[in-house]
Amino acid sequence: MGSHCFTYVITVLIALSVSSVPSSVSAKTSTPPCEFPAIFNLGDSNSDTGGLAAIYGYDPPPNGMSYFHKPARRYCDGRLVIDFIAESFGLPYLSAYLDSVGSNFTHGANFATAGSTIRPQNTTFQQTGYSPVSLDVQWNEFHDFYIRSQTTRQRGGVFEKLLPKEVVFSSALYTFDIGQNDLTAGYFLNMTTSQVKAYVPELLDQFKTIVKNVYDQGGRYFWIHNTGPVGCLPYILERLPVTAAQMDKAGCASPFNEVAQVFNRGIKEAVVQLRKDLPYAAITYVDVYSAKYSLISQPKKHGFEQPLRACCGHGGKYNYNVHMGCGSKMKVNGKEILVGKACDDPSVWINWDGYHFTEAANKLIFNQIVGGSFSDPPIPLRMACHRNQAHS
Ligand SMILES: *[C@@H]1O[C@H](CO)[C@@H](O)[C@H](O)[C@H]1NC(C)=O
Ligand SMILES: *[C@@H]1O[C@H](CO)[C@@H](O)[C@H](O)[C@H]1NC(C)=O
Ligand SMILES: *[C@@H]1O[C@H](CO)[C@@H](O)[C@H](O)[C@H]1NC(C)=O
């Protein structure tokens, strides 16, 4: 983190010393905040607000218990980081593109589904649990949405009220949060860390292609999350055990976190390249990895307990069981009982169900990243429409 800010300060100082000092200083202080009329999100379960639930219908209680007080088509007890992002701009929560009932897309659409990967997995959801809605499919959906929302709006009436105007697409914020599942997919196929690392360049190429496609379709403002410390998640700790020597001080599995960091360095480089290739884009890289890791490695400081155990689950060291997930039920003497139960107070837990963060953790992650100290360039979310001169 510190190193981003440091690099930025140096870059700014150099820029100041060689160019128009007064104008760039005043420009910086008087820059108005962005008014994004909409958000379009592409991603996985970290930002899924109903995509997977729309196609597989899996969204049992106690999901949603803390905030929505009923399942809300999210794999969480409440709101996700993308919900807090929408709230911060005064926008309603994003409807999932795949949700054909009751959706309102005037302020954006969410293409994310739980289990999504950048690369198509060539396996079914039933076989491996990875979503068929990979990033290329999300792009296809977005493209289709763009075209059809415009022709459909012309029908007037309710269509006009539920679909965005064309101008919205070029002034919207495009958020991305994807990659984690691509990394775990290799490990679940018994690949070694070096085998997983070997396909990272392919992930990055495909990621860049999709960002470029969105840009060519008119998108200008991009907010790109890197991937989190997947080696700290109960489902990985339980299902892909490592040796004691491969555990870090926080109790996370180092090999998986290292590969996540390799991917993240690649995403950061991809962003640098994209800024060169897409002259009118403002692209912010957000180090969500560090925000998440700081919660997990210093839980007490942030008001949390049990950083590596799932709040909602069943048994074992991590309160996670792949066969008895959060909300799962079992028949005992002909009676259904809930075995994937939630902890008493999710607000002091970091992990919700073995895979996902609790609302309390999501809120803190959002609070950490919203101000820009985890971003490159280090500008706040509300300034993410401004192309940073120091980085051009
Ligand atoms: C859709 O959402 C917008 C806010 O973006 C709101 O102004 C509008 O009333 C909503 N439309 C309907 C039909 O609910
Ligand atoms: C799926 O198959 C395609 C075509 O053979 C291949 O290019 C791609 O890498 C495969 N995806 C994975 C995750 O192996
Ligand atoms: C990976 O290895 C485990 C343990 O040897 C085995 O049970 C499993 O079937 C293997 N998975 C794949 C996809 O080959």
Side-chain angles (χ1 to χ4, degrees), residues 9 41 47 51 66 137-138 141-142 159 173 184 201 221 231 250 269 286 325 333 337 342 344 355 377:
V9 167
N41 179 66
S47 59
S66 303
V137 177
Q138 295 183 30
E141 292 174 342
F142 170 75
F159 299 111
L173 182 66
T184 63
Y221 312 123
E269 282 164 20
V286 190
N333 299 331
I337 58 158
D344 288 338
Y355 304 84

Side-chain angles (χ1 to χ4, degrees), residues 187-191:
Y187 284 109
F188 285 122
L189 290 170
N190 294 336
M191 286 187 184

Side-chain angles (χ1 to χ4, degrees), residues 62-93:
N63 282 298
M65 65 178 275
S66 303
Y67 185 76
F68 301 101
H69 307 297
K70 60 179 182 199
R73 306 171 86 70
R74 289 157 174 79
Y75 301 97
C76 183
D77 60 315
R79 290 163 290 180
L80 311 180
V81 171
I82 189 68
D83 295 315
F84 292 115
I85 290 177
E87 276 184 17
S88 79
F89 292 110
L91 298 172
Y93 302 132

Side-chain angles (χ1 to χ4, degrees), residues 225-238:
H225 289 181
N226 70 6
T227 201
V230 64
C232 302
L233 300 177
Y235 86 105
I236 294 296
L237 291 164
E238 182 68 35

Side-chain angles (χ1 to χ4, degrees), residues 37 91-92 104-107 158 161-162:
L91 298 172
N104 182 343
F105 297 114
T106 51
H107 50 271
V158 68
K161 293 202 184 89
L162 296 173

Side-chain angles (χ1 to χ4, degrees), residues 18-287:
V18 296
S19 66
S20 49
V21 177
S23 69
S24 60
V25 168
S26 65
K28 223 178 146 36
T29 50
S30 62
T31 311
C34 311
E35 286 179 25
F36 298 115
I39 298 171
F40 295 100
N41 179 66
L42 292 87
D44 58 26
S45 58
N46 290 300
S47 59
D48 180 359
T49 57
L52 196 81
I55 49 179
Y56 292 107
Y58 187 73
D59 174 32
N63 282 298
M65 65 178 275
S66 303
Y67 185 76
F68 301 101
H69 307 297
K70 60 179 182 199
R73 306 171 86 70
R74 289 157 174 79
Y75 301 97
C76 183
D77 60 315
R79 290 163 290 180
L80 311 180
V81 171
I82 189 68
D83 295 315
F84 292 115
I85 290 177
E87 276 184 17
S88 79
F89 292 110
L91 298 172
Y93 302 132
L94 300 184
S95 294
Y97 166 75
L98 292 170
D99 239 332
S100 51
V101 180
S103 287
N104 182 343
F105 297 114
T106 51
H107 50 271
N110 192 351
F111 299 89
T113 72
S116 283
T117 48
I118 296 172
R119 281 200 309 180
Q121 289 303 300
N122 306 325
T123 56
T124 66
F125 176 72
Q126 287 75 11
Q127 286 166 334
T128 55
Y130 290 102
S131 167
V133 188
S134 44
L135 190 60
D136 55 324
V137 177
Q138 295 183 30
W139 153 253
N140 291 343
E141 292 174 342
F142 170 75
H143 182 256
D144 195 51
F145 177 75
Y146 180 99
I147 305 293
R148 291 183 62 239
S149 60
Q150 296 319 297
T151 50
T152 307
R153 280 191 100 247
Q154 290 165 11
R155 289 161 67 183
V158 68
F159 299 111
E160 213 174 346
K161 293 202 184 89
L162 296 173
L163 294 167
K165 294 192 182 106
E166 185 158 22
V167 62
V168 161
F169 289 93
S170 53
S171 45
L173 182 66
Y174 290 84
T175 53
F176 287 75
D177 191 328
I178 196 160
Q180 174 181 318
N181 294 322
D182 289 276
L183 304 180
T184 63
Y187 284 109
F188 285 122
L189 290 170
N190 294 336
M191 286 187 184
T192 62
T193 292
S194 61
Q195 286 173 312
V196 173
K197 280 182 188 164
Y199 66 71
V200 167
E202 208 180 310
L203 305 178
L204 299 169
D205 281 347
Q206 298 196 15
F207 184 83
K208 276 190 280 193
T209 300
I210 303 303
V211 173
K212 282 185 187 167
N213 288 349
V214 172
Y215 179 88
D216 290 341
Q217 194 69 67
R220 289 295 176 264
Y221 312 123
F222 297 87
W223 179 262
I224 296 176
H225 289 181
N226 70 6
T227 201
V230 64
C232 302
L233 300 177
Y235 86 105
I236 294 296
L237 291 164
E238 182 68 35
R239 287 165 63 187
L240 299 170
V242 297
T243 65
Q246 292 174 312
M247 298 272 219
D248 69 9
K249 276 195 216 136
C252 303
S254 299
F256 311 120
N257 283 352
E258 276 161 25
V259 91
Q261 284 171 301
V262 166
F263 174 81
N264 288 345
R265 279 193 290 276
I267 287 282
K268 199 170 179 187
E269 282 164 20
V271 165
V272 170
Q273 186 58 46
L274 286 165
R275 286 193 190 115
K276 290 186 186 137
D277 296 347
L278 313 176
Y280 302 109
I283 313 177
T284 311
Y285 167 87
V286 190
D287 184 12

